[in-house]
Structures are given as C-alpha cells and as structure tokens.
C-alpha cells in the first residue's frame, strides 16, 4: 500500500528544512585547539555515550553479528549487502549533483540502472565489471565540498563516532533519499532491514579490528575517535591534520595513542 499522500507531502516539503537547519547548526561548529587533532568540547558526554555504545555492542551487536556471519553463507550475506548498497545509489546521485561532480553522479546513476536490472535488483554487481566502480558519497561530504568544517567530534547513540558535520549529513541523507520519498512505507522498512543486515555483516567481517579497538585499547574512546577522524579525513582527501592535502597523511589503524 503506498504511503499516504499527506505523509509524502510532509516529507518532501520539510526535507529541505532539515538541510537548512543543518547548515545553520554547522555555522557555529567548533574548531580544534592549536596542537589538537580534533575539537572535542563534549568529551565527557561523548565518553558516556561511547560506553553506552560499547555495552550495546558487547550485549547485542557483536553476538548478533557473529551469529549472522556464522549461520548465513557468505554469498547470501554479500547479496544482501549488494541490495542495500544499491538502494543508497539514488541518494548518492543526488549528492553528486549537489557537489557539482558530474562524474560521480553519472557513475552512480548508471550503477543503479545496471545493477537494478541486469543485477537482479542489486543482488549482483555487474556494474563494477563494466567499469563503474563503487563511488561512495554522502551529504556530509557535500557539506565538506561546500566549505563547512567538520566541527566537534560526536559519539552518537547506536551510530557511533561522528562529527557535527557528518551527523547533520546523516540526518539530511535520511530525509532527502529519493527511495524514501517515492516508495511505500513498507518498502522503506524493508530497506532498513537490509541496512541492518549489512551492518551486522560489516561487524562480522571486521570483528578483529573493531574488537581490538573497543576491548584491547588502553583508551577505547580515544582510539575510536582517532580511527574515525583520520579515516574520514582520508576519504575526503584531507591530511591527518584536516588540511585539504594528503601530503602529510600517515594513518596506522592499529596504533594506540596511549601505548608506551
């Protein structure tokens, strides 16, 4: 059953307000103090939320991921992840256009068409074999392209490490995703189920690195923050210090900042 017209109208009309609110929020973003890698004015709250997320991982997420990864065969898990990734492509096309990046928008647009048809609704990935690689993007990157700074570091309940800019981008992506706006509500619920399965698969695949960070580090909060910030800056073509050059970039994901 299609979503009620008033709901579609509400989402379509108010989605831009999320973007406007995000931009206003980002106008007051914090900057790192001299000599610091990242601004973290909310560290006390962030550490509490990090411990909450860590406890959730211990009690629920990791056990579920290990069960999912052990019981479900890899080809099935990969197919589910492929479908989930395919359904994010319309949003990535939109972000490519907002970034004035024609190559990014066209690549992801053709990927969506090819994988949705020849790839059986995204279950398979023939687009990659045809020279259309996976080119991830999001509204957080769009804000970066527009010149907004990353702002303060955030530890978001359930979502984990983020920044003010990236969290605003996550909210906006959820609001303006064409798949969400123009499909029935039950379809959106199914898509979220696919996303949850993909997250469990990722948690299973990268268990060694994630568990080492959370449970073996001298300070798992500082280590998680370091990994997220440096990896995100690398994705955006920045250096470890946050400049728009990778000339001084060096990133060791296994380095513990509190190790002797």
């Amino acid at each position: 059953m299609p979503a009620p017209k008033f709901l579609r109208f509400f989402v379509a009309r108010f989605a831009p307000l999320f973007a406007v609110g995000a931009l206003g929020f980002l106008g007051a973003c914090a900057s790192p103090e001299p000599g610091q890698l990242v601004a973290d004015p909310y560290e006390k709250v962030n550490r509490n939320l990090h411990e909450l997320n860590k406890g959730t991982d211990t009690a629920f997420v990791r056990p579920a991921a290990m069960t999912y990864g052990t019981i479900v065969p890899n080809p099935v898990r990969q197919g589910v992840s492929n479908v989930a990734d395919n359904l994010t492509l319309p949003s990535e096309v939109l972000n490519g256009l907002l970034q004035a990046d024609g190559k990014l928008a066209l690549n992801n647009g053709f990927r969506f068409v090819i994988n949705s048809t020849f790839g059986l609704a995204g279950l398979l990935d023939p687009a990659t074999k045809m020279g259309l690689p996976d080119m991830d993007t999001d509204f957080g990157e769009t804000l970066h392209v527009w010149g907004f700074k990353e702002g303060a570091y955030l530890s978001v309940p359930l979502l984990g490490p983020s920044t003010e800019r990236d969290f605003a981008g996550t909210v906006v992506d959820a609001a303006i995703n064409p798949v969400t706006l123009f499909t029935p509500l039950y379809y959106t619920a199914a898509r979220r189920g696919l996303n949850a399965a993909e997250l469990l698969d990722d948690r299973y695949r990268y268990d060694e690195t994630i568990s080492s960070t959370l449970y073996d580090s001298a300070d798992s909060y500082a280590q998680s923050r370091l990994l997220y910030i440096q990896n995100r800056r690398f994705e955006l073509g920045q250096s470890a210090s946050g400049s728009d050059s990778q000339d001084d970039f060096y990133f060791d994901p296994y380095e513990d900042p509190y190790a002797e």
Side-chain angles (χ1 to χ4, degrees):
M1 178 180 178
K5 289 184 178 180
F6 78 88
L7 180 61
R8 290 176 176 273
F9 175 82
F10 177 86
V11 175
R13 186 57 69 98
F14 285 93
L17 295 181
F18 283 103
V20 173
L23 296 180
F25 172 72
L26 287 166
C29 280
S31 297
E33 296 291 334
Q36 292 185 345
L37 179 68
V38 60
D40 193 0
Y42 317 121
E43 181 171 351
K44 184 176 181 180
V45 174
N46 281 337
R47 283 186 176 275
N48 290 333
L49 293 174
H50 171 78
E51 289 303 317
L52 175 64
N53 287 337
K54 187 174 176 179
T56 301
D57 181 80
T58 302
F60 302 107
V61 179
R62 186 176 186 276
M66 294 300 103
T67 301
Y68 178 68
T70 302
I71 294 177
V72 181
N74 181 62
V76 176
R77 288 186 282 111
Q78 186 60 59
V80 170
S81 294
N82 286 346
V83 174
D85 287 340
N86 191 59
L87 293 176
T88 67
L89 287 172
S91 178
E92 294 180 6
V93 171
L94 178 58
N95 277 298
L97 294 173
L98 292 173
Q99 295 169 28
D101 189 332
K103 179 180 179 181
L104 176 62
L106 287 173
N107 180 89
N108 286 334
F110 281 120
R111 273 185 63 84
F112 181 70
V113 172
I114 292 171
N115 285 348
S116 296
T117 53
F118 299 106
L120 305 178
L123 190 64
L124 305 176
D125 182 16
T128 296
K129 296 180 181 179
M130 297 173 64
L132 297 169
D134 187 14
M135 298 175 65
D136 289 334
T137 189
D138 51 57
F139 196 76
E141 182 172 2
T142 297
L143 291 173
H144 165 71
V145 171
W146 288 354
F148 288 93
K149 303 301 182 182
E150 68 185 12
Y153 176 76
L154 299 176
S155 185
V156 183
L158 300 180
L159 298 180
S162 188
T163 62
E164 289 176 323
R165 181 182 63 199
D166 287 344
F167 180 61
T170 299
V171 173
V172 173
D173 274 328
I176 66 174
N177 189 333
V179 174
T180 301
L181 294 176
F182 301 111
T183 56
L185 287 180
Y186 66 81
Y187 189 84
T188 299
R191 180 173 62 85
R192 288 175 178 168
L194 290 169
N195 289 339
E198 182 181 28
L199 290 175
L200 289 179
D201 187 42
D202 287 342
R203 181 64 182 84
Y204 173 77
R205 291 179 186 273
Y206 303 110
D207 175 62
E208 183 177 352
T209 299
I210 295 173
S211 294
S212 175
T213 300
L214 290 179
Y215 306 116
D216 297 334
S217 302
D219 186 339
S220 62
Y221 171 77
Q223 183 74 344
S224 297
R225 181 180 60 190
L226 173 70
L227 289 171
Y228 178 81
I229 291 297
Q230 292 197 341
N231 184 62
R232 182 57 167 166
R233 289 174 180 174
F234 180 79
E235 290 177 345
L236 298 178
Q238 296 180 298
S239 70
S241 63
S243 66
D244 290 325
S245 170
Q246 291 189 324
D247 292 342
D248 64 336
F249 191 91
Y250 174 73
F251 174 44
D252 180 0
Y254 300 103
E255 178 185 2
D256 190 330
Y258 287 86
E260 293 295 334

